[in-house]
């Protein structure tokens, strides 16, 4: 029998570029679009890939290590909810406990992303 084929590669590969801020998201959402399809599978890369459809300038955000949000810009008035970066470095990413800094309890880390499309 022929060897099994490798799984297809994802259509795009996305990575975290730069942390842009840490926000208290108890009553405020810095990024508006929740991505339920990556719940329980959140890493910086999986959340970035989920945000790929928002375009090349998309931003990604992770709350409490397991909630991924996307948007094209941080919501207006976000500076009032800005928090020190260490508050967003208390949770590990749910799908990769070695990936640190994935938000915190009621804290969303917002970061820029870069995606390359696989040919």
């Amino acid at each position: 029998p022929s060897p099994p084929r490798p799984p297809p590669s994802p259509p795009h590969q996305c990575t975290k570029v730069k942390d842009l801020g840490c926000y208290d998201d108890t009553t405020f959402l810095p990024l508006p679009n929740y991505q339920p399809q990556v719940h329980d599978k959140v890493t910086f890369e999986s959340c970035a890939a989920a945000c790929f459809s928002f375009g090349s300038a998309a931003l990604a955000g992770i709350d409490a290590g397991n909630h991924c949000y996307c948007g094209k810009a941080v919501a207006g008035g976000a500076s009032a909810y800005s928090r020190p970066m260490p508050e967003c470095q208390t949770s590990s990413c749910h799908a990769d406990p070695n990936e640190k800094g994935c938000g915190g309890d009621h804290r969303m880390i917002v970061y820029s992303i870069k995606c390359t499309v696989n040919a």
Side-chain angles (χ1 to χ4, degrees):
S2 60
R5 290 184 172 195
S9 60
H12 50 270
Q13 186 68 36
C14 299
T15 56
K16 172 182 170 179
V17 176
K18 181 181 172 193
D19 289 332
L20 299 177
C22 175
Y23 300 94
D24 179 342
D25 64 351
T26 307
T27 59
F28 170 82
L29 276 182
L31 297 175
N33 302 288
Y34 179 59
Q35 302 299 305
Q37 73 276 21
V38 293
H39 187 77
D40 290 336
K41 300 187 254 328
V42 172
T43 63
F44 285 120
E45 296 76 21
S46 69
C47 185
C51 295
F52 176 74
S53 63
F54 288 84
S56 59
L59 302 177
I62 301 175
D63 167 74
N66 201 24
H67 306 112
C68 172
Y69 292 83
C70 306
K72 291 185 177 283
V74 174
S79 59
Y81 297 90
S82 186
R83 303 298 304 153
M85 195 56 77
E87 291 185 20
C88 280
Q89 295 170 335
T90 60
S91 294
S92 297
C93 281
H94 193 82
D96 183 357
N98 294 319
E99 212 167 63
K100 309 290 186 202
C102 294
D105 192 27
H106 299 294
R107 297 293 182 265
M108 185 187 297
I109 183 86
V110 175
Y111 57 99
S112 58
I113 64 172
K114 179 178 182 183
C115 298
T116 54
V117 177
N118 297 329

